[in-house]
């Protein structure tokens, strides 16, 4: 499972997590556990599955140090992790401006820190989007409560003609997920955005910029993929149960950065053994050792 991407990645792990209060009174929601690993592992693993090795984590001043303590510089996993502070939660699109120097002349993928993706078709969809070098790519997913998301509006031919932010009367069930792929024009597009009535630079407005220029690629995520938004107490518990059920049944971990790095060839067997030994008293460390012991085949669904 080797794949190399020239795209850089940004994980937005800021925000107050108000819907998870009081749990988030002293800790970032992206550091909270989703079954057996911190939430931040899942979007990190998703970007790594795309072959993205240079990743910036954006968080607030109170928690950025905790992310550094947890993940360090990424070298143990064969990747390069950098960090940036978002002084105030002023929208997902602000991550582009914060990461302008980091992005440089590269294309970029932005992942929300509280979104989890999993499924057999996930890697092929992500890599297809990664190969799209011009314009932007978003992912649509059918939901039962579209009024809580950015929703796609289609014309009679099935083409996307509008993105509606949390509409009272949604025109479809297809919500825009928390994963976005952009070409380098995203920097200038983000600079032209105006703050919304919520005081934020809206990711929906950024996507509309690409849509208006006929440069927005929309990929549908179907029945073979699970998209979990862990922003509420119930959805956080549901995500943990989902991960636990699959891992317990299959004996394979979901969102395991060490395994992905090893399968990508970014770290070798000896480095994986060292990572496993550092976690020797946990079932997580035991799993890493079993990967080498049994040479478990790549399920292509981390």
């Amino acid at each position: 499972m080797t794949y190399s991407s020239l795209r850089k990645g940004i994980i937005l792990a800021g925000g107050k997590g108000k819907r998870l209060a009081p749990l988030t009174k002293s800790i970032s929601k992206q550091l909270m556990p989703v079954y057996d690993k911190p939430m931040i592992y899942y979007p990190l693993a998703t970007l790594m599955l795309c072959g993205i090795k240079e990743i910036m984590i954006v968080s607030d001043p109170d928690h950025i140090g905790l992310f550094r303590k947890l993940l360090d510089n990424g070298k143990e996993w064969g990747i390069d992790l950098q960090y940036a502070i978002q002084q105030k939660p002023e929208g997902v699109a602000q991550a582009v401006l914060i990461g302008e120097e980091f992005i440089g002349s590269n294309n970029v993928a932005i992942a929300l820190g509280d979104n989890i993706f999993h499924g057999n078709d996930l890697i092929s969809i992500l890599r297809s989007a990664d190969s799209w070098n011009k314009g932007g790519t978003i992912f649509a997913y059918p939901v039962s409560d579209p009024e809580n998301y950015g929703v796609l509006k289609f014309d009679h031919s099935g083409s996307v003609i509008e993105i509606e932010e949390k509409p009272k009367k949604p025109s479809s069930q297809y919500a825009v997920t928390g994963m976005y792929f952009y070409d380098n024009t995203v920097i200038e597009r983000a600079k032209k955005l105006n703050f919304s009535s919520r005081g934020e630079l809206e990711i929906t407005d950024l996507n509309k910029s690409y849509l208006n220029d006929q440069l927005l690629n929309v990929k549908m995520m179907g029945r073979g993929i699970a998209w979990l938004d862990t922003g509420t107490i119930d959805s956080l518990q549901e995500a943990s149960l989902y991960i636990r059920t699959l891992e317990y049944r299959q004996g394979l971990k979901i969102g395991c950065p060490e395994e992905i790095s090893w399968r990508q060839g970014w770290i070798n067997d000896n480095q994986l053994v060292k990572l496993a030994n550092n976690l020797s008293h946990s079932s997580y460390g035991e799993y890493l050792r079993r990967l080498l012991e049994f040479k478990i085949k790549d399920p292509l669904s981390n």
Side-chain angles (χ1 to χ4, degrees):
M1 188 187 76
T2 58
Y3 186 84
S4 178
S5 173
L6 298 177
R7 191 181 301 267
K8 292 188 177 182
I10 294 177
I11 300 175
L12 189 57
K16 299 296 184 182
K18 293 180 179 179
R19 293 181 296 170
L20 289 170
L23 295 176
T24 48
K25 188 174 182 178
S26 62
I27 190 171
S28 166
K29 66 178 176 181
Q30 289 87 5
L31 290 169
M32 296 178 65
V34 178
Y35 185 45
D36 60 348
K37 59 191 77 70
M39 188 186 297
I40 190 71
Y41 272 39
Y42 296 94
L44 183 59
T46 301
L47 292 178
M48 291 169 67
L49 285 171
C50 296
I52 298 173
K53 299 178 69 174
E54 294 183 71
I55 299 169
M56 172 176 280
I57 294 171
V58 177
S59 189
D60 59 83
D62 293 334
H63 299 117
I64 196 73
L66 296 176
F67 286 104
R68 285 183 183 273
K69 184 176 181 180
L70 173 68
L71 303 171
D72 199 19
N73 57 19
K75 287 185 177 179
E76 285 190 328
W77 295 344
I79 62 176
D80 176 21
L81 291 179
Q82 299 182 35
Y83 301 86
I85 293 175
Q86 184 182 38
Q87 292 292 344
K88 294 191 296 182
E90 294 180 329
V92 177
Q94 190 183 47
V96 175
L97 302 180
I98 293 171
E100 179 180 359
E101 184 176 342
F102 168 74
I103 296 169
S105 60
N106 294 275
N107 294 343
V108 66
I110 298 177
L112 299 190
D114 60 358
N115 277 218
I116 298 173
F117 297 88
H118 174 258
N120 287 330
D121 299 327
L122 179 61
I123 292 179
S124 62
I125 290 177
L126 292 175
R127 292 182 179 176
S128 174
D130 184 51
S131 66
W132 191 274
N133 292 318
K134 185 177 181 180
T137 300
I138 60 175
F139 302 89
Y141 193 91
V143 296
S144 59
D145 55 343
E147 63 275 5
N148 293 320
Y149 302 92
V151 177
L152 299 177
K153 183 178 181 179
F154 302 88
D155 63 16
H156 294 297
S157 67
S159 298
V160 176
I161 58 173
E162 182 62 272
I163 306 173
E164 305 169 306
E165 182 63 26
K166 297 182 180 178
K168 294 182 179 179
K169 294 183 178 180
S171 57
S172 79
Q173 285 188 294
Y174 284 91
V176 179
T177 72
M179 174 70 68
Y180 319 90
F181 284 68
Y182 298 119
D183 65 11
N184 194 254
T185 67
V186 70
I187 296 173
E188 294 307 315
R189 293 174 187 273
K191 289 179 178 179
K192 294 176 181 178
L193 296 179
N194 295 315
F195 283 94
S196 68
S197 58
R198 300 194 302 167
E200 296 188 1
L201 297 178
E202 303 285 356
I203 196 70
T204 294
D205 291 337
L206 186 57
N207 291 330
K208 284 181 178 180
S209 171
Y210 281 99
L211 179 62
N212 293 339
D213 290 341
Q214 298 182 328
L215 289 171
L216 187 66
N217 181 34
V218 179
K219 289 190 172 294
M220 299 293 182
M221 289 183 167
R223 297 176 186 269
I225 295 177
W227 170 46
L228 307 170
D229 179 353
T230 56
T232 67
I233 294 293
D234 287 339
S235 61
L236 180 63
Q237 292 300 309
E238 289 168 2
S240 291
L241 288 172
Y242 175 85
I243 300 297
R244 181 191 183 280
T245 299
L246 286 181
E247 290 192 354
Y248 183 81
R249 179 65 175 170
Q250 297 179 339
L252 299 170
K253 289 219 172 290
I254 298 169
C256 178
E258 298 90 345
E259 178 180 3
I260 296 169
S261 292
W262 176 64
R263 293 195 185 280
Q264 293 274 34
W266 299 343
I267 61 173
N268 58 34
D269 289 2
N270 291 333
Q271 290 170 299
L272 184 61
V273 169
K274 183 178 179 180
L275 291 171
N277 290 340
N278 290 339
L279 301 168
S280 60
H281 297 293
S282 71
S283 59
Y284 195 100
E286 282 294 326
Y287 174 76
L288 297 181
R289 275 192 290 273
R290 288 202 311 273
L291 288 175
L292 290 169
E293 182 179 352
F294 297 108
K295 295 294 182 182
I296 296 174
K297 291 183 179 180
D298 182 5
L300 291 179
S301 59
N302 285 287

